[in-house]
Amino acid sequence: MATKTLTAGVMLLMFTLAGCSADEQVTDTSSSQQHTSLPVEVSDVMFVEHEQWQALGQLLPAQQILLSMEVGGRVNERPVTRGDQVNQGTTLIRLDAEDFVLKRNSLDASIKQLAADQRLAFSDRDRLKAMLKRELVSQQDVDQIETRIESLAAQLARLNQERALAERQINYTQLKAPISGRINQVMIEPGQQVQPGQILLELIQTDALIVLTHLPAHRMAALPKQAKLITPTGAIELRLFEQEPLADPVTGLFAVRYQPIADDTNAKQALAKLPLGERYSVTFEQPLPNRLQQIPGSALIDLGQGPHVWQVIDNKAQLTDVSLVRLHNGVALIQPTLAEDSKIVRHGVHRLQPDQAVRILND
């Protein structure tokens, strides 16, 4: 009886040890599978009917005017400085006009004297004509006074023209703003001597700003008429202004200019407060001719047989070919061949192998 009890105990112990060994083997296998699976991040597949993309745009004035003087002279006053906002007609520079004023005054005196001589000549002509009727003078005397009157008239006309020129030169000693805008560059100081045509100031038109962007050739066939400028203070609606017909020979990009909506005063005021020359993101959106799928550009992999993606199916990586339509700004548009609930590996695609076990980190 004791022998049977001992035998039963030994058998029970053997079954218990065998069970523990089996449990440990299952646990080890599960742990091994978890250890060999590769952690990945995945993205969903999106169906899109509109394409949205971005490019850098630079805020620039639509008009930059280089200002110079019509006459030379010494700068007496420059009441503006760089960055000043000025209105049309504001005086920007004053030259010393004393020489031109003296010339005008001298011409005024000469004109006054000639006018007096002309009046006297008219009086002499009338008197000689009366005397000619009484045969007290000859016709030659009358002809001589007529010639003198014509000469005085010619001299007077010439002096009036010279005076008009002197008056214009006096006006030219003041440089006025041809448009409202902002002083962008100052290249002269009071006391300096300037020459006619010398560039002194640069004036930019702040109420007519544009956004310059450069786009690749494939965007030009269906160039968006609208865009949005993304600034720190918000988005500003833009409209197509003009485009260059030829691409840059170095970059192959086309220069395209957008501007705010004509009657959008708030947009123009918002742009005027931004620093000129600064670059901001410009967002474009346009309808697609066909419904496509959108995936991260980082999900694409090409192993020499065209673009593919890794799909996660039953916790394993499966290589699937796709038809790439366009890749731009890190976003890939593909033909809609993937299932709507597909999970696509978006990072580390070069580490995967077909049927490799994976663990989704961001599901």
Side-chain angles (χ1 to χ4, degrees):
M1 183 67 179
T3 302
K4 291 182 179 180
T5 302
L6 179 60
T7 302
V10 171
M11 292 180 65
L12 179 61
L13 178 60
M14 291 177 63
F15 280 124
T16 301
L17 292 174
C20 290
S21 177
D23 290 342
E24 290 176 358
Q25 185 175 2
V26 171
T27 303
D28 290 345
T29 302
S30 176
S31 176
S32 175
Q33 289 178 349
Q34 185 173 3
H35 181 71
T36 57
S37 63
L38 191 66
V40 294
E41 292 185 2
V42 298
S43 291
D44 295 326
V45 176
M46 294 176 55
F47 285 88
V48 292
E49 296 180 351
H50 289 77
E51 181 184 11
Q52 190 176 86
W53 46 282
Q54 293 181 332
L56 277 180
Q58 187 177 20
L59 185 62
L60 297 173
Q63 189 176 11
Q64 295 174 270
I65 303 177
L66 299 177
L67 301 176
S68 61
M69 305 298 297
E70 296 284 346
V71 296
R74 180 173 55 85
V75 178
N76 270 0
E77 187 179 359
R78 194 206 68 208
V80 296
T81 188
R82 183 178 181 182
D84 284 355
Q85 191 74 26
V86 297
N87 296 321
Q88 184 177 10
T90 300
T91 299
L92 308 177
I93 292 177
R94 290 188 181 92
L95 299 182
D96 183 2
E98 184 177 358
D99 290 346
F100 298 116
V101 172
L102 290 175
K103 182 178 180 180
R104 182 194 61 185
N105 293 342
S106 175
L107 288 169
D108 283 342
S110 298
I111 290 172
K112 185 177 181 180
Q113 180 62 50
L114 275 176
D117 292 344
Q118 191 179 48
R119 288 193 300 272
L120 180 59
F122 285 143
S123 178
D124 289 344
R125 182 188 62 182
D126 294 341
R127 181 173 55 82
L128 288 173
K129 283 185 176 181
M131 294 175 66
L132 179 62
K133 290 180 180 180
R134 291 181 291 168
E135 297 183 353
L136 297 176
V137 296
S138 65
Q139 182 63 43
Q140 183 178 1
D141 294 327
V142 175
D143 292 342
Q144 287 178 349
I145 196 63
E146 291 284 6
T147 301
R148 175 168 172 73
I149 289 174
E150 291 178 1
S151 175
L152 290 173
Q155 294 179 57
L156 192 59
R158 177 177 56 80
L159 289 180
N160 280 324
Q161 290 178 350
E162 291 181 7
R163 189 196 184 282
L165 177 59
E167 191 68 38
R168 289 177 62 185
Q169 289 174 327
I170 292 174
N171 293 333
Y172 287 155
T173 60
Q174 295 190 47
L175 179 62
K176 297 182 180 295
I179 60 172
S180 297
R182 185 190 306 166
I183 302 297
N184 192 48
Q185 293 289 338
V186 175
M187 292 157 275
I188 194 66
E189 297 295 334
Q192 292 182 339
Q193 197 77 16
V194 301
Q195 300 297 323
Q198 178 183 344
I199 303 302
L200 307 178
L201 300 172
E202 182 186 48
L203 178 65
I204 55 177
Q205 189 175 2
T206 53
D207 60 349
L209 299 178
I210 62 167
V211 176
L212 172 65
T213 185
H214 295 85
L215 303 179
H218 72 268
R219 296 293 185 188
M220 302 304 293
L223 186 63
K225 304 298 182 184
Q226 301 176 352
K228 286 184 180 180
L229 183 69
I230 309 302
T231 73
T233 57
I236 298 175
E237 295 285 344
L238 301 176
R239 294 291 183 271
L240 180 63
F241 176 55
E242 62 182 6
Q243 63 189 79
E244 293 291 339
L246 299 177
D248 184 278
V250 177
T251 64
L253 300 177
F254 288 81
V256 182
R257 297 172 181 85
Y258 286 82
Q259 63 181 4
I261 302 173
D263 56 353
D264 192 344
T265 305
N266 293 332
K268 292 182 178 180
Q269 292 176 349
L271 283 180
K273 295 178 181 178
L274 297 174
L276 292 175
E278 193 69 26
R279 287 176 169 82
Y280 302 97
S281 178
V282 181
T283 300
F284 303 90
E285 184 174 333
Q286 59 188 140
L288 294 168
N290 301 304
R291 192 171 184 235
L292 299 176
Q293 288 179 321
Q294 178 178 301
I295 61 174
S298 59
L300 292 173
I301 182 172
D302 192 338
L303 300 177
Q305 298 178 345
H308 287 68
V309 296
W310 290 104
Q311 289 193 82
V312 177
I313 302 176
D314 296 332
N315 293 325
K316 291 185 178 181
Q318 301 293 337
L319 193 62
T320 306
D321 67 316
V322 293
S323 178
L324 179 64
V325 176
R326 185 158 44 246
L327 177 64
H328 184 74
N329 284 351
V331 175
L333 294 179
I334 61 175
Q335 293 294 344
T337 56
L338 299 176
E340 189 170 355
D341 58 349
S342 297
K343 300 292 184 182
I344 306 299
V345 178
R346 67 184 183 189
H347 292 305
V349 294
H350 291 87
R351 299 182 300 161
L352 298 174
Q353 298 293 332
D355 293 324
Q356 181 171 358
V358 295
R359 286 182 290 112
I360 298 177
L361 296 179
N362 61 327
D363 193 10

